[in-house]
Amino acid sequence: MKNSIKNKLTAGVFTMALFIISGSIIVACSDSDTQEPLENNPEAPGVVHNVSVENQPGKARITYALPEEQDLLYVKAEYTLATGKSMEVKASYYENSVLVEGFADTLEHEVKLYAVNRSEVASEPVAVTVKPQEAPLWDVYKSLHVGAAFGGVYVNAENPYRSDVAILIMQKNEHDEWEINPNSIYSSTDSISHTLRGLDTLKQDFAFTVRDRWLNYSDTLYTSISPLYEAAIPQSGYNGMNLPGDAPRHPSTSMSGMWDGNIIDWPSIYMTQAAHPGEHVITFDIGQLAKLSRIVIWDYPEYYNGRTYYYLHCMYRFEIWGSDDPPADGSFDNWHLLGTYQETKPSGLPYGEQNDEDYRAANAGFSWEFDINVPKVRYLRIRCLENWGGSTNLAIGELQVFGDPR
């Protein structure tokens, strides 16, 4: 009997304990839902002091000394851009500076600094004047160079600060209104080179402007351009060749893998044997004599951290040669140098690393322009001087040649 009573008492105490704990959890959840500060100090902290300003291109770094309050949480900067957009930037109490950016002019701007405690109570503002240097978007705009390309227009510009910019390409629609081309340029690389293709050879009006990520705009460049004629040389006429001195192929691949419509999958590519000494050369016939404009090459991405371009056998430095009648001895007599090229990773990241822009650029294929002064040719040779891995063998997923066969 005593044991039975004891067991009932124990069970009752256990049940009560569960009830209390559950109630505590419910109360705690209920309290957290209010999202109030964990501390309650209604007294405003002191202000930041010993403020100094370092003006930079399109931005300014403001350095300061913090107030002595123990419950300081962060420093907040508030300012307004020329576009009318209100900006707020926070820096934790572990830091003694804050970066204010997004300015498109070199005028004076007022920034208000607030010290904020853990109760989210802000100090009185400290007004600071910044005068940013010329914004990076103007470097891009001033270096903007556009003109006629085969099948379209080219756009080149320098972006020395690697800012996130958009170069908007505009043409007039049927209502005579300027309309942004969806294939405009979005980049953060330091040297921008882009060609908008698929355009008629008729003279057309274009407008170009540069926009940054804060929606600041440069002036607008207006011009008229007549794109040059080009057509894709049909891959159905391509054939592999093997001249003396050409690099032997990897046994799992074939030269036809470069024009089978598959840009990425193994073994639907062409790879040369790594053991072959010296610079690796491959030769192929495009099936007809033509004034060539360019070649698009899709590198083969290795299986490394997913699929990685700019790696191992992807060509880094190379030459392309053309001929209308190649000598049978494999020499470069009667071959014309169409161009010498070096592949660039848009992000500038170290070897073996890539970001989305890097992947998209390579996966879309690199378009290499040919010397416009070279006569018509039918046969092409690619000579790999160095691949991304530091040797000279090459791996190509696909290629397409363009020009004027008329």
Side-chain angles (χ1 to χ4, degrees), residues 38 59 96 167 180 351 357 373 396:
L38 295 177
K59 57 189 176 182
N96 69 337
I167 301 178
I180 297 173
Y351 177 70
E357 184 180 10
N373 297 311
I396 296 176

PDB file of all heavy atoms in Angstrom, residues 38 59 96 167 180 351 357 373 396:
ATOM      1  N   LEU A  38      16.471  42.118 -25.665  1.00  0.00           N
ATOM      2  CA  LEU A  38      16.725  41.313 -24.477  1.00  0.00           C
ATOM      3  C   LEU A  38      17.032  42.191 -23.271  1.00  0.00           C
ATOM      4  O   LEU A  38      16.837  41.780 -22.125  1.00  0.00           O
ATOM      5  CB  LEU A  38      17.900  40.364 -24.746  1.00  0.00           C
ATOM      6  CG  LEU A  38      17.654  39.304 -25.831  1.00  0.00           C
ATOM      7  CD1 LEU A  38      18.918  38.485 -26.051  1.00  0.00           C
ATOM      8  CD2 LEU A  38      16.486  38.399 -25.441  1.00  0.00           C
ATOM      9  N   LYS A  59      32.339  56.288 -52.933  1.00  0.00           N
ATOM     10  CA  LYS A  59      32.066  55.906 -51.548  1.00  0.00           C
ATOM     11  C   LYS A  59      32.997  56.653 -50.603  1.00  0.00           C
ATOM     12  O   LYS A  59      33.875  57.415 -51.036  1.00  0.00           O
ATOM     13  CB  LYS A  59      32.233  54.400 -51.379  1.00  0.00           C
ATOM     14  CG  LYS A  59      33.612  53.880 -51.780  1.00  0.00           C
ATOM     15  CD  LYS A  59      33.633  52.359 -51.802  1.00  0.00           C
ATOM     16  CE  LYS A  59      34.982  51.834 -52.298  1.00  0.00           C
ATOM     17  NZ  LYS A  59      35.000  50.357 -52.375  1.00  0.00           N
ATOM     18  N   ASN A  96      35.506  50.119 -35.890  1.00  0.00           N
ATOM     19  CA  ASN A  96      35.575  51.562 -35.616  1.00  0.00           C
ATOM     20  C   ASN A  96      35.406  52.376 -36.898  1.00  0.00           C
ATOM     21  O   ASN A  96      35.844  53.520 -36.979  1.00  0.00           O
ATOM     22  CB  ASN A  96      36.895  51.925 -34.931  1.00  0.00           C
ATOM     23  CG  ASN A  96      38.087  51.785 -35.869  1.00  0.00           C
ATOM     24  OD1 ASN A  96      38.024  51.052 -36.852  1.00  0.00           O
ATOM     25  ND2 ASN A  96      39.159  52.499 -35.565  1.00  0.00           N
ATOM     26  N   ILE A 167      26.035  47.455 -68.739  1.00  0.00           N
ATOM     27  CA  ILE A 167      26.110  48.321 -69.913  1.00  0.00           C
ATOM     28  C   ILE A 167      24.859  48.018 -70.723  1.00  0.00           C
ATOM     29  O   ILE A 167      24.728  46.939 -71.315  1.00  0.00           O
ATOM     30  CB  ILE A 167      27.383  48.074 -70.731  1.00  0.00           C
ATOM     31  CG1 ILE A 167      28.633  48.322 -69.877  1.00  0.00           C
ATOM     32  CG2 ILE A 167      27.411  48.983 -71.969  1.00  0.00           C
ATOM     33  CD1 ILE A 167      29.938  48.045 -70.606  1.00  0.00           C
ATOM     34  N   ILE A 180      15.543  48.610 -73.920  1.00  0.00           N
ATOM     35  CA  ILE A 180      16.765  47.906 -73.519  1.00  0.00           C
ATOM     36  C   ILE A 180      16.780  46.503 -74.108  1.00  0.00           C
ATOM     37  O   ILE A 180      15.815  45.755 -73.988  1.00  0.00           O
ATOM     38  CB  ILE A 180      16.872  47.835 -71.986  1.00  0.00           C
ATOM     39  CG1 ILE A 180      16.975  49.247 -71.396  1.00  0.00           C
ATOM     40  CG2 ILE A 180      18.083  47.008 -71.566  1.00  0.00           C
ATOM     41  CD1 ILE A 180      16.920  49.274 -69.883  1.00  0.00           C
ATOM     42  N   TYR A 351      43.283  29.728 -59.483  1.00  0.00           N
ATOM     43  CA  TYR A 351      43.162  28.489 -60.249  1.00  0.00           C
ATOM     44  C   TYR A 351      42.339  27.462 -59.465  1.00  0.00           C
ATOM     45  O   TYR A 351      42.542  27.254 -58.276  1.00  0.00           O
ATOM     46  CB  TYR A 351      44.554  27.940 -60.532  1.00  0.00           C
ATOM     47  CG  TYR A 351      44.575  26.613 -61.265  1.00  0.00           C
ATOM     48  CD1 TYR A 351      44.184  26.529 -62.592  1.00  0.00           C
ATOM     49  CD2 TYR A 351      44.995  25.447 -60.615  1.00  0.00           C
ATOM     50  CE1 TYR A 351      44.212  25.323 -63.277  1.00  0.00           C
ATOM     51  CE2 TYR A 351      45.037  24.229 -61.291  1.00  0.00           C
ATOM     52  CZ  TYR A 351      44.631  24.174 -62.621  1.00  0.00           C
ATOM     53  OH  TYR A 351      44.657  22.984 -63.290  1.00  0.00           O
ATOM     54  N   GLU A 357      29.488  33.816 -62.778  1.00  0.00           N
ATOM     55  CA  GLU A 357      29.810  34.551 -64.002  1.00  0.00           C
ATOM     56  C   GLU A 357      30.868  33.804 -64.817  1.00  0.00           C
ATOM     57  O   GLU A 357      30.779  33.720 -66.046  1.00  0.00           O
ATOM     58  CB  GLU A 357      30.295  35.963 -63.687  1.00  0.00           C
ATOM     59  CG  GLU A 357      30.558  36.795 -64.936  1.00  0.00           C
ATOM     60  CD  GLU A 357      31.038  38.216 -64.652  1.00  0.00           C
ATOM     61  OE1 GLU A 357      31.357  38.514 -63.489  1.00  0.00           O
ATOM     62  OE2 GLU A 357      31.104  39.018 -65.605  1.00  0.00           O
ATOM     63  N   ASN A 373      42.028  40.982 -92.134  1.00  0.00           N
ATOM     64  CA  ASN A 373      42.847  41.139 -93.335  1.00  0.00           C
ATOM     65  C   ASN A 373      43.326  39.814 -93.923  1.00  0.00           C
ATOM     66  O   ASN A 373      43.938  39.792 -94.994  1.00  0.00           O
ATOM     67  CB  ASN A 373      44.074  42.005 -93.014  1.00  0.00           C
ATOM     68  CG  ASN A 373      43.668  43.407 -92.590  1.00  0.00           C
ATOM     69  OD1 ASN A 373      42.858  44.052 -93.252  1.00  0.00           O
ATOM     70  ND2 ASN A 373      44.215  43.879 -91.475  1.00  0.00           N
ATOM     71  N   ILE A 396      38.639  20.178 -76.090  1.00  0.00           N
ATOM     72  CA  ILE A 396      37.610  21.049 -76.655  1.00  0.00           C
ATOM     73  C   ILE A 396      36.290  20.286 -76.679  1.00  0.00           C
ATOM     74  O   ILE A 396      36.220  19.172 -77.201  1.00  0.00           O
ATOM     75  CB  ILE A 396      37.991  21.522 -78.071  1.00  0.00           C
ATOM     76  CG1 ILE A 396      39.253  22.389 -78.013  1.00  0.00           C
ATOM     77  CG2 ILE A 396      36.838  22.286 -78.715  1.00  0.00           C
ATOM     78  CD1 ILE A 396      39.766  22.818 -79.382  1.00  0.00           C
TER      79      ILE A 396
END
